[in-house]
Amino acid sequence: HNYFRITNMERTIVEAIRYSTKIGLDTALKAAALAIRKRKTTATKILEQAYELKLEKFIINHWEAINAAGIS
């Protein structure tokens, strides 16, 4: 539609981590953990999306926390 941008789960998570100063890092990481645990996405897909958006430095800083979410 003309008024809304369509996005995907991975992009939303990457942007949540990127703008974590506005919504809180804890909230962004919990969203990533929940999406991974519910098998809506994977940590690898999140990282791939970050590379596409050229925001990988924000994801890499928190990569251990995101990967731990997928393990637990």
Side-chain angles (χ1 to χ4, degrees), residues 20-68:
S20 62
T21 56
K22 305 228 186 273
I23 65 167
L25 182 59
D26 191 45
T27 303
L29 292 177
K30 281 182 183 178
L34 185 62
I36 292 169
R37 264 189 252 126
K38 289 193 172 196
R39 300 183 189 268
K40 301 284 184 183
T41 189
T42 65
T44 305
K45 288 181 181 179
I46 294 170
L47 185 60
E48 288 171 358
Q49 184 68 53
Y51 277 109
E52 285 180 27
L53 297 172
K54 296 183 177 30
L55 296 174
E56 63 273 2
K57 69 179 181 177
F58 296 100
I59 300 301
I60 291 171
N61 289 339
H62 306 291
W63 186 245
E64 287 183 25
I66 293 169
N67 268 334

